[in-house]
Amino acid sequence: MRKLAPVTKKLLAPLAASIALFAASAPFSSNVDAQAATTLKAPIYGVTLDDLSNLSAIITSLSKLPYRPTVRVVFDPGTSAAEYYPSLVKLHAVANVMGEIMDSYYFPTDINTYTARTKELVNGLNGTVDVWEIANEINGEWLRQNPNGTNSVVNSEETQIGQMVAAASSIVKAAGGKTAVTLYYNDDSKGNNCWEKPQDYWKTWPTTFLPASVRQSVDYALFSYYPYQDCPGLSPSWSNDFTALEGIFPNAKVGFGEIGTSSTGAPASVQTGLIKTYYPMVNSFKDPKFVGGFFWWYYAEEMVPYTKTYWSTLDQTIAPLKVPQ
């Protein structure tokens, strides 16, 4: 989501007990040659987990959804792959997993940090992650050190960010994994935008700052869309926008990598409206490359346990939709 102000990003709670439980049965793996890179069945019904502290209730709620979901796990800096591994084993038993190497909230960073983190996660979580999100909201101005810098400064910093994505792509692809790139939807091509600089425009950022080889190899090209307060006033033409996205990433499936609001305090009518509007696109949208996704941001906070109202809304919304195949 657009990071205009501090938002809630919960670190993984201590996992000492879980790690001890799994020490004998789920050995830490450093073999990067056998990633869990099976093609995800479509449509993808995704949710985001930025907090795994209530893991048992999370797993119960996921297992009760109509179809096997895909969970996008936000990996927090400072929490090791070894700490995540026991939880990922459990999650992968009930859901597909997309691993978000570094949420845009944790930028700015540098290529050495990003490369090292990618290697650690890919090596350490072998067999538990189906898709690696190597770039999250990568065209957001908040990812650079100087959001309002001169053109030369902005171009230099965005070039460095593009190099980080390219390095992460090489690591994941060398390990046999699949990649996803999420762009922040910040311009509707109708004269409405919320970008800070023209360089941030989702249509031009990838072709300017990502090598063609990376764009050719991406498996999933996704939009992050936050129309309430974060980036309001846009009037998307999703058919045209996804066609444009497919032109940028010609070998990728397309969809949404993140939807929601930047606060759990957003009106229930807004949040319910987003769920009921976007998840059903898997039935109504005819683009053969469109796989859905959506990945509602506040799943852990708003839909766990499964007795919560928003979980029921998601459950009832998904139930009549297409079966993944």
Side-chain angles (χ1 to χ4, degrees), residues 19 28 59 72 78 95 163-164 183-184 197 199 219 243 306:
I19 290 173
F28 184 81
I59 289 172
R72 186 175 64 135
Q163 291 170 348
M164 296 180 206
L183 297 171
Y184 186 67
K197 296 282 187 177
Q199 290 95 324
D219 297 288
T243 296
Y306 70 91

Side-chain angles (χ1 to χ4, degrees), residues 100-272:
E100 186 187 358
I101 290 171
M102 188 175 292
D103 189 72
S104 68
Y105 178 78
Y106 297 116
F107 276 72
T109 190
D110 60 81
I111 191 167
N112 291 333
T113 300
Y114 203 71
T115 300
R117 183 58 165 166
T118 303
K119 287 180 178 178
E120 182 204 355
L121 293 170
V122 172
N123 290 359
L125 298 177
N126 177 28
T128 66
V129 175
D130 302 286
V131 179
W132 291 95
E133 187 181 5
I134 58 173
N136 173 253
E137 298 175 327
I138 203 66
N139 58 313
E141 69 273 5
W142 60 91
L143 277 76
R144 56 181 178 262
Q145 191 70 45
N146 299 283
N148 301 297
T150 64
N151 278 341
S152 61
V153 169
V154 168
N155 288 335
S156 174
E157 293 182 347
E158 293 298 341
T159 297
Q160 293 174 47
I161 292 171
Q163 291 170 348
M164 296 180 206
V165 179
S169 177
S170 295
I171 292 165
V172 173
K173 290 296 181 178
K178 293 186 181 295
T179 58
V181 166
T182 300
L183 297 171
Y184 186 67
Y185 187 87
N186 57 11
D187 194 309
D188 62 9
S189 301
K190 301 174 183 177
N192 307 305
N193 67 73
C194 63
W195 39 253
E196 191 71 30
K197 296 282 187 177
Q199 290 95 324
D200 302 323
Y201 183 17
W202 69 262
K203 275 189 178 178
T204 56
W205 190 94
T207 55
T208 304
F209 299 110
L210 280 185
S213 59
V214 175
R215 290 186 277 112
Q216 291 280 340
S217 68
V218 168
D219 297 288
Y220 296 93
L222 309 169
F223 284 132
S224 172
Y225 185 47
Y226 283 81
Y228 176 75
Q229 294 187 336
D230 299 273
C231 193
L234 303 187
S235 180
S237 296
W238 292 124
S239 180
N240 293 334
D241 292 329
F242 279 112
T243 296
L245 190 63
E246 291 160 15
I248 298 168
F249 300 96
N251 297 309
K253 302 291 180 61
V254 298
F256 291 94
E258 196 171 324
I259 65 167
T261 62
S262 59
S263 170
T264 56
S269 59
V270 171
Q271 300 196 62
T272 299

Side-chain angles (χ1 to χ4, degrees), residues 68-90:
R68 180 180 174 92
T70 297
V71 295
R72 186 175 64 135
V73 178
V74 180
F75 294 125
D76 297 321
T79 306
S80 70
E83 290 175 277
Y84 278 110
Y85 186 80
S87 296
L88 267 289
V89 170
K90 286 186 172 182

